[in-house]
Amino acid sequence: MSDDYMSDDFLLAIPDVRPGLPQTTSGKRKLLQHKKHLRYQSDTRHKTAKSRETAKQTLLEGLEKNVIEEENPGFKMMKLMGYKTGTGLGKTGDGRAEPVKIDPFRKNKVGLGLETAERESTIKRQKVEHARAKAFKANEAHMLRSFREGKKAEAISRRLVGWVKKCQSLCEVMDKKCGREPPHYYYWPIIQPTDEDEPEVYEPDPEDIFPHLNSYIRATYSYCIWCGVEYNDGDDMRANCPGDTYLKHEETEDTDFND
């Protein structure tokens, strides 16, 4: 039967391995080695920190002087090639006279001049993007203006077709009333033949024939299609009709509305 794990016999059988109470020679030796190792690590960290601080201070002092000492290997090579202290680089001596200043403690460990190149590249890219956005905006405005002009032209074209049909109908009614024949076939509404064998009657462009129709109605019958009035004579028309174009009537309506 095994001993009770809570009894004294069971506890005494377990070796005491606490660090503060070494019981054996090997345990003491291990503890001593551990303490020496910790002391060595502490001294090493202290020396490393001190040496780093000294190196940093030396580097800063050298950068503040901003000169290359004669013991420097690079200076010796330059001296062999004819360089003299205090003069500029190059054959004529008009180049850089002092070493390039750097920040040795910057986080971004990139090559000299890269930050300036990246900044210039960013500025150039921003200018290109700005020019592209400006061109796009101008093109968008041009497209919008063209679209509006196209819509306006379509509206005028539809109105023109209506004005031509109205003039042709008025010419037919008034000519027949007065017993006149139309000056040209297109002064009256054009009727296409129903027989497929007969050729179709040519219909001129409304933009070409409208000025003739409008002038004929105004001169012959003193009628204005925009006023919708048949005046007594030419003098009455000139006195009361805004004009012989749609724009003149539109301007008169805008003036009356503002008044």
Side-chain angles (χ1 to χ4, degrees):
M1 182 177 179
S2 60
D3 296 332
D4 185 5
Y5 67 92
M6 293 298 292
S7 64
D8 293 338
D9 295 336
F10 183 82
L11 295 175
L12 291 173
I14 300 175
D16 191 350
V17 293
R18 289 177 292 174
L21 298 174
Q23 300 295 326
T24 61
T25 302
S26 61
K28 290 181 180 181
R29 185 170 58 252
K30 290 180 179 179
L31 180 59
L32 182 60
Q33 290 176 353
H34 180 67
K35 288 182 179 180
K36 287 182 178 179
H37 181 67
L38 293 177
R39 191 181 302 111
Y40 172 78
Q41 286 183 337
S42 177
D43 294 343
T44 303
R45 282 196 297 268
H46 179 70
K47 291 179 181 179
T48 303
K50 188 176 181 180
S51 61
R52 286 179 180 175
E53 187 65 26
T54 303
K56 179 179 179 180
Q57 190 65 27
T58 304
L59 180 60
L60 289 175
E61 291 175 358
L63 290 174
E64 289 178 359
K65 293 179 182 179
N66 201 29
V67 294
I68 302 178
E69 298 179 355
E70 295 184 0
E71 292 78 10
N72 188 284
F75 179 82
K76 293 179 180 179
M77 294 177 62
M78 293 171 62
K79 190 174 182 180
L80 292 174
M81 292 185 287
Y83 174 74
K84 296 180 180 179
T85 305
T87 60
L89 298 176
K91 184 177 181 180
T92 57
D94 56 352
R96 179 183 290 274
E98 296 181 354
V100 179
K101 293 184 178 181
I102 62 173
D103 181 9
F105 307 109
R106 58 182 179 173
K107 296 181 179 179
N108 189 9
K109 300 294 184 178
V110 297
L112 296 177
L114 181 60
E115 294 180 353
T116 303
E118 289 179 346
R119 183 166 58 253
E120 293 177 353
S121 177
T122 301
I123 295 174
K124 184 178 180 180
R125 184 171 62 255
Q126 289 176 351
K127 288 182 178 179
V128 172
E129 292 177 354
H130 178 71
R132 186 182 294 112
K134 186 177 180 181
F136 177 79
K137 188 175 182 180
N139 185 48
E140 187 178 21
H142 175 71
M143 291 177 63
L144 181 60
R145 184 167 58 253
S146 300
F147 175 77
R148 290 175 176 173
E149 291 176 355
K151 287 293 183 181
K152 186 176 181 180
E154 290 179 4
I156 293 176
S157 179
R158 289 193 296 269
R159 288 181 178 180
L160 189 61
V161 172
W163 295 338
V164 168
K165 291 182 177 180
K166 185 175 182 179
C167 288
Q168 288 174 334
S169 299
L170 288 170
C171 286
E172 182 181 18
V173 172
M174 292 180 175
D175 286 343
K176 288 181 177 180
K177 184 178 180 180
C178 298
R180 289 194 181 98
E181 290 294 326
H184 298 282
Y185 74 95
Y186 55 80
Y187 275 54
W188 288 9
I190 298 175
I191 301 176
Q192 296 293 345
T194 57
D195 191 352
E196 296 180 356
D197 295 335
E198 295 183 12
E200 292 185 355
V201 180
Y202 171 72
E203 296 185 10
D205 189 350
E207 188 175 355
D208 296 334
I209 64 176
F210 175 71
H212 303 288
L213 295 172
N214 187 37
S215 299
Y216 176 73
I217 292 177
R218 295 178 68 87
T220 306
Y221 302 109
S222 300
Y223 188 92
C224 176
I225 63 171
W226 296 295
C227 295
V229 176
E230 183 180 0
Y231 293 94
N232 296 326
D233 49 32
D235 294 335
D236 185 21
M237 174 178 281
R238 284 187 290 272
N240 298 291
C241 180
D244 58 352
T245 63
Y246 171 74
L247 293 178
K248 292 180 180 179
H249 286 74
E250 195 175 37
E251 291 173 358
T252 303
E253 291 178 0
D254 293 339
T255 304
D256 296 340
F257 177 77
N258 294 329
D259 294 341

